Amino acid sequence: MKKGIVVVGHGSRATINEANDMVFEITQQVKEKAGHDLVETAIMNRMAKLQGLEEAVDKLIDKGAECITVAPMFFANGAHIQSDIPEMVRLIQAKYPGVVISIAGHIGADPRIADILLDRVNEVS
């Protein structure tokens, strides 16, 4: 079974585009670590006018994905995690009943984040 991954970030409508670029950069890192090309980026902020969740899933299915995991790149269990993403997945799942679409847990208060923060502190100390 061909498995696909959608990395979902909030993104931004800011003209600097740094928030959007970071999501694409992390998606590329996930793609490299996963060892396959069935990895797409989705941006929740529709004002950014970038690929959203449905478009990302469409692309993966066009490439042959039969099972897709949506991986939210969010720290907090906010509205996107609690309602927006699950509702979108429900609608997309209805469009593709033969494809299994699941949602991975959000990042949350993972202890590895504290390690990264301490690394950054130690870089300047």
Side-chain angles (χ1 to χ4, degrees):
M1 183 173 280
K2 291 178 90 172
K3 296 181 179 181
I5 300 169
V6 179
V7 176
V8 183
H10 189 276
S12 173
R13 63 180 177 201
T15 56
I16 297 171
N17 217 24
E18 184 178 345
N20 301 323
D21 290 344
M22 184 181 66
V23 180
F24 285 98
E25 184 178 335
I26 290 178
T27 299
Q28 183 59 38
Q29 292 171 8
V30 168
K31 186 182 289 188
E32 290 166 8
K33 289 179 182 282
H36 61 79
D37 287 340
L38 290 176
V39 182
E40 287 289 332
T41 303
I43 301 294
M44 289 298 294
N45 189 327
R46 300 311 297 158
M47 299 292 282
K49 297 185 177 159
L50 296 170
Q51 177 171 272
L53 188 54
E54 185 172 3
E55 295 90 351
V57 170
D58 290 344
K59 278 188 180 178
L60 289 173
I61 290 171
D62 286 346
K63 293 178 184 177
E66 302 163 292
C67 175
I68 297 171
T69 301
V70 175
M73 200 174 79
F74 289 82
F75 287 117
N77 187 20
H80 286 320
I81 299 301
Q82 291 183 29
S83 59
D84 298 340
I85 293 171
E87 178 62 16
M88 291 171 131
V89 168
R90 187 185 68 72
L91 293 171
I92 296 166
Q93 185 69 75
K95 182 178 171 183
Y96 297 108
V99 177
V100 176
I101 305 173
S102 54
I103 305 170
H106 65 288
I107 295 169
D110 190 302
R112 292 171 289 186
I113 302 301
D115 293 337
I116 294 168
L117 286 172
L118 284 173
D119 286 347
R120 298 299 182 262
V121 167
N122 291 330
E123 289 171 1
V124 296
S125 298

